[in-house]
Amino acid sequence: MSDNIVSVESEWYLSLSGWPLWLALPVGMLLCWCMYRLYVKDVSSCPVVYSKRLMALRMSVVCLLLLLLLEPSLRRELRVKQLPVIDIMIDGSGSMGIVDNNMTSHDLLNEAEGLGLLQEGVRDTSCREGAEILSRVLKLIPDIAVFLSPGGGQDENVLGEKRRGAILENCKKYAAELDRVRPPLSGYPKSLEIIESTSRIVARVIGYFEGDKDRSSAKELLKDLRQFQHKGPVYVSQLMSDQMSFDSSLLSGMDSDSQLFQSVSELKHISRYEKVLDLVRKKIVPLAKGKARLRCLLMKQGLSVISIDDELGGLSPDKVIPDGDTDFEVSINDLARSSEAYLGGLVLLSDGRQTAGGDPAPALKSLSIRGVKF
């Protein structure tokens, strides 16, 4: 069995496309009875052995006629489950050949982390994780506010039990995540205070949902949530600012022989195109192994297959020189026209917006209708 085939299932089906069974069976029985009555005297003078054989032969003719009336057919259905195809489209325009020498410490560490160049525990990302949790809490506040609004706590159909349960479950999850990121923030008092404030507001929401839904406490909680929501963007900015400060101090104090220094130095000398190739090799290919078939395509004035992995085949990526403009329309149109196998997903890797060509939206819509995920 091919590595691309997940499973093969086979089933047999018997179908009758002629007369309905409820009509054919009575007709057959009537013919058998008539034949028996009409020919029983003709075979009575014959020896018993021959009379039985002759009767069996005539009955066989009736059965054959019955089969012809029923028109039976035997059909075999073979179902082959294959791994979906995921196309990785890599931008080959001139801007992808740029080497970014002036990136901030925060961006350098983000890229190194994304490419798997940092060992676990080298970089503390508690401030960034806190900002991400806070952003999710802020997105949840409008749903909580609907429930806390007048009438929301009394009418059981406003959000429904399932929605309430989902809000409560999310709040408990965020509370646990906030407890996890709090200890490392002891050196950043402003970020620590923000995380503690977020924990308190989340704990109050959990307490309200699990306790007595008093309208006076709901009004007070709603007021505090509105104030917290108003200050939320400032809190997120403060957390990210502290994360950038930590990243700057981490890079300024690193030893030239450390793994961190070597990883960051490597990033300063490779182009965006080479970074994308590393991302595909180290992240996407291992993630998709056994789950999908990958095909790597280079976007220039059309598409060409490049070999990211030994098993994928195609043009060697080392021979590719990024040049020209960024034109998504031609490449995506070519993909929409040429895709024969089941295309399950499309991953587009580029460093910016389209700079040439027309609108790729119609081609993307066509792929979306076919079930392609982006």
Side-chain angles (χ1 to χ4, degrees):
M1 183 184 294
S2 172
D3 293 338
N4 297 328
I5 297 178
V6 178
S7 64
V8 177
E9 299 177 359
S10 178
E11 292 187 11
W12 292 89
Y13 298 93
L14 177 63
S15 59
L16 304 175
S17 56
W19 286 23
L21 194 61
W22 62 267
L23 178 61
L25 283 180
V27 170
M29 294 173 64
L30 180 62
L31 287 175
C32 289
W33 181 82
C34 292
M35 185 172 293
Y36 176 78
R37 296 296 297 174
L38 291 174
Y39 294 103
V40 67
K41 295 181 179 180
D42 295 342
V43 299
S44 59
S45 59
C46 298
V48 177
V49 175
Y50 293 109
S51 62
K52 289 183 177 179
R53 290 179 180 177
L54 185 59
M55 183 61 69
L57 181 61
R58 289 173 176 173
M59 293 300 178
S60 300
V61 173
V62 175
C63 292
L64 181 60
L65 179 61
L66 183 62
L67 286 176
L68 292 175
L69 293 176
L70 291 173
E71 296 183 33
S73 61
L74 188 62
R75 177 171 57 92
R76 183 189 182 192
E77 185 175 289
L78 189 65
R79 291 191 293 270
V80 180
K81 294 183 181 179
Q82 290 185 310
L83 295 176
V85 176
I86 294 180
D87 281 343
I88 304 172
M89 299 179 66
I90 300 177
D91 186 2
S93 62
S95 61
M96 291 291 287
I98 296 175
V99 177
D100 297 306
N101 295 317
N102 299 318
M103 287 193 298
T104 64
S105 301
H106 181 68
D107 291 335
L108 274 172
L109 289 174
N110 280 342
E111 285 198 354
E113 186 178 32
L115 294 172
L117 300 177
L118 295 184
Q119 294 179 353
E120 187 176 354
V122 171
R123 181 193 187 196
D124 184 7
T125 58
S126 298
C127 290
R128 186 188 69 187
E129 292 175 18
E132 293 171 353
I133 299 168
L134 175 56
S135 298
R136 294 197 293 271
V137 171
L138 293 174
K139 289 181 180 179
L140 190 62
I141 287 179
D143 286 344
I144 301 173
V146 171
F147 180 77
L148 295 176
S149 299
Q154 299 169 1
D155 188 354
E156 294 298 319
N157 294 320
V158 172
L159 291 179
E161 288 300 324
K162 289 185 178 180
R163 189 57 182 159
R164 291 189 186 89
I167 293 175
L168 182 59
E169 181 180 354
N170 283 329
C171 286
K172 289 181 177 180
K173 181 177 68 174
Y174 298 154
E177 293 175 350
L178 289 167
D179 290 340
R180 176 178 55 81
V181 300
R182 185 187 294 116
L185 297 178
S186 56
Y188 296 91
K190 290 184 179 180
S191 290
L192 180 60
E193 175 59 30
I194 291 170
I195 295 300
E196 289 178 345
S197 298
T198 307
S199 296
R200 287 193 293 269
I201 201 75
V202 171
R204 287 178 62 189
V205 172
I206 294 174
Y208 177 81
F209 272 69
E210 290 185 334
D212 295 330
K213 300 177 178 59
D214 181 64
R215 297 313 303 165
S216 60
S217 62
K219 184 177 180 180
E220 183 180 352
L221 178 56
L222 179 59
K223 178 182 177 182
D224 293 343
L225 279 172
R226 295 297 190 193
Q227 293 177 352
F228 183 82
Q229 186 180 28
H230 180 71
K231 298 177 181 178
V234 178
Y235 290 161
V236 172
S237 297
Q238 179 61 49
L239 287 165
M240 293 306 300
S241 176
D242 283 348
Q243 181 65 56
M244 292 178 185
S245 299
F246 175 83
D247 292 341
S248 298
S249 61
L250 178 64
L251 290 184
S252 62
M254 64 183 176
D255 184 35
S256 59
D257 296 330
S258 65
Q259 184 266 346
L260 177 61
F261 179 84
Q262 295 172 3
S263 299
V264 172
S265 299
E266 180 183 349
L267 284 176
K268 290 181 178 179
H269 297 91
I270 62 177
S271 66
R272 297 172 182 175
Y273 173 73
E274 292 171 310
K275 292 174 184 177
V276 166
L277 294 181
D278 284 344
L279 177 66
V280 173
R281 290 191 181 107
K282 295 178 180 179
K283 293 290 185 177
I284 300 179
V285 172
L287 187 64
K289 193 168 184 178
K291 300 177 182 177
R293 292 174 286 164
L294 295 180
R295 185 175 62 163
C296 296
L297 305 170
L298 181 70
M299 290 190 302
K300 283 195 173 182
Q301 296 302 319
L303 294 173
S304 55
V305 180
I306 58 175
S307 176
I308 297 296
D309 189 270
D310 294 336
E311 301 177 359
L312 300 178
L315 177 68
S316 172
D318 298 329
K319 297 181 180 179
V320 175
I321 300 176
D323 59 2
D325 297 324
T326 304
D327 186 355
F328 296 150
E329 182 203 16
V330 173
S331 300
I332 295 177
N333 276 331
D334 288 349
L335 178 67
R337 288 193 299 266
S338 63
S339 294
E340 297 179 0
Y342 168 62
L343 184 59
L346 175 62
V347 179
L348 178 61
L349 300 174
S350 176
D351 64 339
R353 293 179 294 178
Q354 178 169 293
T355 57
D359 186 5
L364 290 171
K365 184 177 180 180
S366 172
L367 291 170
S368 178
I369 292 173
R370 289 160 52 183
V372 179
K373 304 298 183 182
F374 299 96

